[in-house]
Amino acid sequence: MRGIITDETEIYVYFELIKRMQPGSVLDVGMFLTRIGALSRQAMNCEIPCGVDLTGVKLFDGMDFPVHQKVYDRMLTLSTLGDKTYDLAALFSVNEYLDEKQKPAFWEYLTGHCKCILADTRDALFVQYVVEHFRCEAVMVDNRQYAVVYCG
């Protein structure tokens, strides 16, 4: 299946930084938890508390399973994002699945509706965009770089 994530470093970074940042709401772009095979908000002895409002954004059609209702408070698509603001957006292994023409508008949406973004740094254009416009912090784990982007 397209989009499955098995990388333990990615999983660790996702959970650890959410734990440290303690957001009240998370926009999980690409539905990371379901892409690692999680059946709940837990993996690798880590957990996202049930008090955190967790919204999943589906990238792939046909990925509607009952277990998603256990993991996420609500699920959206790129075309149904709406006006809600979030404390944190998680963006792992996502940019490679977006159409090149979608990316700038999508990044503008994220930076306008999320106080902070936690992202991998594989997409050089995304990194360039956020570094030019926002305060960013690099996080190194196992010789891999992730970005924390402070949008407002």
Side-chain angles (χ1 to χ4, degrees):
M1 179 162 81
R2 197 173 132 183
I4 293 291
I5 297 171
T6 58
D7 187 309
E8 288 185 6
T9 300
E10 296 265 283
I11 296 167
Y12 169 79
V13 168
Y14 177 89
F15 278 101
E16 186 61 25
L17 289 180
I18 288 175
K19 180 173 117 182
R20 288 183 187 185
M21 298 172 103
Q22 298 182 342
S25 59
V26 175
L27 184 66
D28 183 354
V29 181
M31 296 175 57
F32 184 83
L33 288 174
T34 59
R35 291 171 64 206
I36 64 170
L39 301 177
S40 67
R41 293 177 177 220
Q42 299 176 344
M44 292 178 50
N45 295 319
C46 299
E47 179 178 16
I48 297 175
C50 62
V52 174
D53 181 49
L54 187 58
T55 300
V57 179
K58 298 187 295 183
L59 296 179
F60 311 114
D61 290 333
M63 297 258 322
D64 296 315
F65 300 105
V67 71
H68 295 168
Q69 301 302 322
K70 285 183 168 183
V71 176
Y72 296 98
D73 296 303
R74 79 195 52 75
M75 290 180 295
L76 305 172
T77 65
L78 292 174
S79 61
T80 62
L81 288 171
D83 291 329
K84 180 176 168 53
T85 58
Y86 299 87
D87 294 327
L88 177 66
L91 193 65
F92 285 83
S93 301
V94 169
N95 282 313
E96 59 261 36
Y97 296 108
L98 298 175
D99 181 278
E100 291 299 317
K101 294 176 186 172
Q102 289 181 292
K103 288 181 180 182
F106 176 65
W107 298 337
E108 267 187 48
Y109 173 85
L110 284 182
T111 56
H113 289 83
C114 302
K115 294 176 186 172
C116 189
I117 300 170
L118 171 60
D120 61 50
T121 58
R122 288 189 279 273
D123 188 311
L125 291 176
F126 172 73
V127 172
Q128 180 182 350
Y129 172 78
V130 295
V131 166
E132 287 177 359
H133 297 93
F134 302 96
R135 185 170 67 88
C136 300
E137 179 181 335
V139 176
M140 296 294 294
V141 178
D142 291 341
N143 295 318
R144 290 168 50 197
Q145 186 172 343
Y146 299 87
V148 178
V149 182
Y150 300 96
C151 307

